[in-house]
Amino acid sequence: MLGPVRAWHADRELDLGSPQQRTVLAALLLRHGHPVSLAELVDAVWGVEPPVAAVSVLRTYVSRLRKVLEPGRGPEEPPRTIVSVGDGYRACIPEQALDLAVFERRTADAAKAAAEGEETTAAQLLHDALDGWPGAALAGLPGPLAESERARLAEERLSALETRLDLDVRLGRHGQVIAELMSLTGEHPLREELCRLLMLALYRSGRQAEALAAYRRTRATLVTELGIEPGAPLRELHARILATDASLSVGASPWSTAGESSPQESPVSDSPQHRETQPSSASATEATAPASPAPQTKTPEPPARRPAYAPRLAQLPADLPTFTGREAELKATLGMLPLDGSAPATLVISAIGGMAGVGKTTLAVHLAHRVADRFPDGQLCINLRGFDPAGSVMCSQEAIRVLLDALGVPPQRLPAGLEAQTALYRSVLAERRVLILLDNARDAEQVRPLLPGSPGCFVIVTSRNQLTGLVAGEGAHPLTLNQLTPAEAHEFLARRLGTARLEREPQAVDEIIARCALLPLALAVVAARAATHPDFPLSAIAEELRDSDDSLDAFAGDDITIDVRTVFSLSYEALSAPAARLFRLLGLHAGPDLSSPAAAALAGLTPRETRGLLVELTRAHLLTEHFPGRYTLHDLLRVYAAERVRAEETPRDRDLAVERLLSWYLHTAAAAYPLITPNRNPIPLDPPPASCRPLSFTALDQAVDWCETERSNLVGAVHQAANSGQPGIAWRLPAVLWGFFYLRSHLGDWLDTTRTGLSAARAAQDSRGEAQALADAAAALRSNGRFDEAIELFHRSIAVCRELGDMDGRLRAVGNLGDAYLQTGRLDKAVEYSRRGLALDRVVGDIWGEGIALSNLGDAYQRLGRFDDAVDCLEQALTVLRESGNRWVEGVALDVLGTVHHRLGARERAVAYYRQALAAHRDIGNRWGEGHTLGHLGDVQLAAGEPEAADGSWRQALGIFAEFDHPDAAKIQEKLRSLQPASR
């Protein structure tokens, strides 16, 4: 890590792969054993513009790293170095095996030793720590994480180096470090601590002139490049060298050179009050040498300067008596201030952002009251009117005049021009400790002139926009407010309406909270209505909200500052015209979130144009980017967007936008279909609209990951298509998704979408659509264990296909009927329909259907106890399946062969077939099939007298079934329970 990212196994260096793959490893190692989510890894490697298949690529990187880092791990052993944790991974590397951890431990030990007075030990520890740092950390790694961590680690190294050099100088090694310090001051001319150490080392080596020359060089650099004078420690050392201060010699207290006054001298102060007590034309020696020794106590700091015209400042609005919640946000912001309750030693800026109505000002005022006592020079507060109902944004020059007036500056003293006024404002605030609340800011440009120029102040800024300029340029601490938690929302209402009233109608309270979508402003409006009508039951208020579900009428108020629709409109009207159009079109999207390519299809724009508009909406907090490239709308903002799209877009434009979006989902899902279910006949589709650009995929993992990510949107798209006059999309979308639903065991979604598609096809009198939807719904019913209903629909599908002359459809339905009868235990019917399907497949040359029919027939024979016939069919099936590349059913056939040999008592052969079946399932990501085969493997392991192995297999199966909420989880749990007494 402390150089190029490299790894060794024993004495052999490992090939860690591409720079991006090394970045993934670095991101995991930098967390010191804590989990890293997929979203964080995507951001680490690619930043704000990840590729479409970012998650799939990451998983490939992790898989390769596991193989490289654990060359001896068997295929059945779980990973030990990089383990999966939730939606991410965790690196399990011993601390002593990571050079960065060794460095951090040694520097921590050095700090502890120095604090205990063991400076020689501390210096040696730092020498050892820095010797293990060969070059620039994370050298050669791309991505934003590597860039930021390189800077952070470089600063840590330089800080440790400064501490080590300081210890060397204290220990009398000043002559040995001069060359190193000269080189470092050349590399880092703005670091005053390096200059201070060089000056001291030179002075102690008898090179006073060179020490003074070093000061002059550094001062010239600071004045020229930054326009500032050196800090107090450097100026003080300069003065003491000029005075040939004896306390600087070797053996004097080393702490006296670090910026504090030595016990034998008076402190050198730059405050006007202190300078007035010194001789006006004395030499440096006279200015620093007192007439008699000072007492052995630290001289107190002079009081902060206050201009004669400055009044007492107390401009904060009253704190809200019913304020509740936001504990995490308050803790994070208070953590920026000193723990001892004092004012900060530097300028601290907190930028609080969030959507309209989320409670930014309320939190800012409450926070300001919490810390006001730390700022004895008072509090300033100003509303910058960045988003004002009157539309009058306050310019920076007007704001600074208001603030200077509050600070007591007479109007006649105000200079002309913003730059001169800003300089006066900062001069007045110099050496004062003031809390400044800048509320409702428009952007960073409006705020920047209003920031103090000296330490000791605390600035709180609120804005509906993301003030990224302040974060990047001024080091502001960003805090984005989200809606309340359900518990906070309940307490919010309890503070306003009383606990007793809420306890009488808990269901109504829950509905009110849900209808308000946890937004503080909406909750406040509803609470005010309930409070002014104490006799109204809360259920009646909940009913009002329910009746206005598709509008914001229930959140209207007499005061425009608390009218939810008006408050939202201020953010909406500040958008550019293209961004406003995209925002209102989002009201047509039925899913829970939206990707950037889907938004492009909805708007009929290019991906590049759309990304810029999404950034604008996100910065305005009208949209939330909850994962790189994926966006969500707050529920009430969704209602507002739907209101605007109905009001501002024509019915035709709305219909075209919906058609583009639904076509994008359909054609992208169709692009995934042949990778998930290879060699299947494609579903016939109409071409997409001209401005709809579907995605394409090159690998199975990419296709499955996309379907999984978009699953809720795809289900919503089926229903939206059925309800918006797009029946063709409503039945075709489930038809291209069946393989994904089956593969990932999303059985409820499968059944729901196929039934919706069937209803849409029938309503449109689309016979071909009805035939396809009947077969799809029957297959979903069969997988859900509703076999009688499935059999009925398969028969209906055969009848419709016969009317249409659709031989392919009939073949599929006949083969599926055989499997459905097999699952019901009606083995005679299963054999009959499997044979019929096999014969038809061979007549038309459908090798794919032939392999499935042979597998089903072999399973029926094994259940009938006709093991020779079963083995014959299944071996034929494997030949055909492998020839056609059908790994899906190959895994099933291998599993059935394992069961046959288990029943014959050939346990070793059974285990071998089960392991082959597991490999096939895992190749295509068939988690459902993997779970079933693991269950069967556990059965044969238990029969072979291996209860521990059986326990392991069943627990793996249980994990898979539980992941998909599969009903077979209960069967595995029962097996595990029966195993426990036996194992004891």
Side-chain angles (χ1 to χ4, degrees), residues 676-677 680 704 707-708 711 734 736-751 753-754 776 779-780 782-784 816 819 823 856 886-889 891-893 921 924-930 932 964 966:
I676 299 173
T677 54
R680 289 295 181 122
V704 172
C707 290
E708 191 65 68
R711 178 163 61 97
V736 297
L737 287 171
W738 77 264
F740 163 70
F741 286 140
Y742 176 87
L743 195 66
R744 288 303 179 95
S745 193
H746 297 308
L747 305 183
D749 289 341
W750 189 8
L751 183 57
T753 54
T754 54
D776 291 336
R782 177 189 58 191
S783 293
N784 276 275
N816 282 321
D819 184 60
Q823 303 306 323
N856 288 340
N886 189 344
R887 287 287 273 171
W888 278 58
V889 184
V892 175
H921 295 321
I924 61 167
N926 185 354
R927 299 279 283 161
W928 188 5
E930 183 182 352
H932 281 294
F964 297 107
H966 195 282

Side-chain angles (χ1 to χ4, degrees), residues 402-424:
V402 171
L403 292 170
L404 284 170
D405 181 66
L407 288 164
V409 178
Q412 60 271 22
R413 284 202 58 205
L414 290 181
L418 177 61
E419 187 174 344
Q421 290 173 359
T422 299
L424 175 60

Side-chain angles (χ1 to χ4, degrees), residues 550-591:
D550 60 347
S551 80
L552 297 175
D553 292 344
F555 304 107
D558 297 333
D559 185 345
I560 60 173
T561 63
I562 61 168
D563 182 292
V564 172
R565 185 183 285 111
T566 301
V567 169
F568 286 169
S569 71
L570 299 176
S571 295
Y572 173 71
E573 290 165 4
L575 297 171
S576 66
R581 174 178 175 269
L582 176 57
F583 172 76
R584 59 181 178 264
L585 288 178
L586 292 175
L588 300 172
H589 181 249

